[in-house]
Amino acid sequence: MKLQEGVHPIGPGEGERLIEVWEASVRATHDFLSESGYRVLEAAGPPALRGMENLFGVRDEGSVLAGFAGTAAGKIEALFVHPSWLRLGAGRRLVRHAVKLLGARNVDVNEQNQGAVAFYLRLGFRIEGRSDKDEWVAFPLLHMTLDDASKL
């Protein structure tokens, strides 16, 4: 398995695949969610993604979306990678694009999503603060920031 080179805008016809990647990623990485917690995210997440202005992704050799990210106002607002592409460089490539080309330096991560926390720490982000819950489900968020983008 290999990814195509680069990062590309999400096309208007990719909405269904975008949601497929989101759902598979959440199911694979958010094991702290109960089924009811997942249902809350399922109701809120996809509409929020469709409304994001700055979405970009990586594709496999067959041009199928493998992962995507979105940014707004200097913050990574979304980063989801299909489970078949986890730990193969897709997430790092998306973060690098968000940071170096779009100026994103901040991200919020569910505290219980230890894989995501470790991922961002490895990339050089540091924990700057914490909130008791996010806007959709009652789980604590870690507010992370990147001081030195040269490590990417």
Side-chain angles (χ1 to χ4, degrees), residues 5 20 22 30 32 53 63 71 82 85 89 106 115 122 138 140:
E5 293 295 321
E20 288 172 4
W22 175 84
H30 291 59
F32 56 91
E53 291 181 29
S63 295
T71 64
H82 192 278
W85 289 99
N106 300 298
R122 278 192 310 275

Side-chain angles (χ1 to χ4, degrees), residues 17-63:
R17 178 62 182 169
L18 184 83
I19 300 310
E20 288 172 4
V21 170
W22 175 84
E23 181 177 329
S25 178
V26 169
R27 291 253 183 218
T29 61
H30 291 59
D31 56 0
F32 56 91
L33 286 176
S34 65
E35 190 59 30
S36 63
Y38 173 76
R39 294 286 173 229
V40 169
L41 278 185
E42 185 178 45
L49 291 173
R50 287 188 182 108
M52 249 184 228
E53 291 181 29
N54 193 17
L55 281 175
F56 48 92
V58 293
R59 292 178 176 74
D60 67 15
E61 292 173 303
S63 295

